[in-house]
Amino acid sequence: MKLVMYNGPSLRTADLDDLREYAANRSVSLVLHPPVARHDLLKLLDDKAPGTRVLIVDGEFGQNLAVSVTEIRTYLRAGRYVAGASSMGALRAVECRTLGMRAHGWVAARYADGTIDADDEVALLFDPETLEPVTIPLVNIRWLVHQFVADGTLDMAGADAAFATAAALNYRARTPGSLVNAARRAHNPAAADALTDNLRPERIHLWDRKRLDALEAARTEINELAEISASAA
């Protein structure tokens, strides 16, 4: 059994190491690729190995670079399995759900229910060498302010104002410092203080919704492949 996974900045190096171990302990082969791009799925059609699943997390954006709905349709019509979560995977999974593509996680659910309708809400800048995120995607701020309301850190008005302030920044400008400063300039000190605490480098991974969705999706797919393998033994 094999899981082919397309990942970029959504998961860190340590996350991938943990997933490799998680898969190996369940006798599942985990094959990691960079963000999915146009024609990547079509190349996989040459792989006839049974029990292969594809999970798209990250992908190239842009009209000429992004994996297309047509390509996913072709892959699914060949009897193959593909799921998506977190970033480009969430977008395409929702767009292709009637074709049979599976969607995982909170981000995909928000696209499915119409809460989010803009592709750039999952966009971010990242270091091309390490794939480490440099900016914070807006969808993560959406999740974080929702948590602030749930735990009483902010009331709904304060959370809405904090989100609107972040949304007004271009995705390339949403660094942790810029987000905090924007909240202070907007006279939202409670939000600025909460962001300051949660945007510290050692804390971001704890609530990073894109990361959490990707991990949950990968573990679900690995567990299901392991169950299929065990039932066939």
Side-chain angles (χ1 to χ4, degrees), residues 25-70:
N25 289 340
R26 289 156 180 79
S27 300
V28 173
S29 174
L30 178 62
V31 180
L32 297 171
H33 289 292
V36 70
R38 186 73 53 87
H39 305 314
D40 281 349
L41 291 184
L42 299 182
K43 295 173 186 175
L44 290 182
L45 290 175
D46 294 332
D47 183 355
K48 305 298 183 182
T52 297
R53 291 188 173 192
V54 171
L55 173 62
I56 298 173
V57 174
D58 293 303
E60 298 284 355
F61 282 82
Q63 185 174 0
N64 297 321
L65 295 175
V67 63
S68 67
V69 171
T70 299

Side-chain angles (χ1 to χ4, degrees), residues 7-21 30 32 127 129-133 205 211 215:
N7 177 71
S10 290
L11 292 177
R12 318 306 192 256
T13 300
D15 295 325
L16 299 178
D17 290 341
D18 288 346
L19 285 176
R20 287 189 187 95
E21 182 177 0
L30 178 62
L32 297 171
D127 185 315
E129 296 295 327
T130 65
L131 298 184
E132 287 287 329
H205 73 284
R211 172 182 177 268
L215 287 173

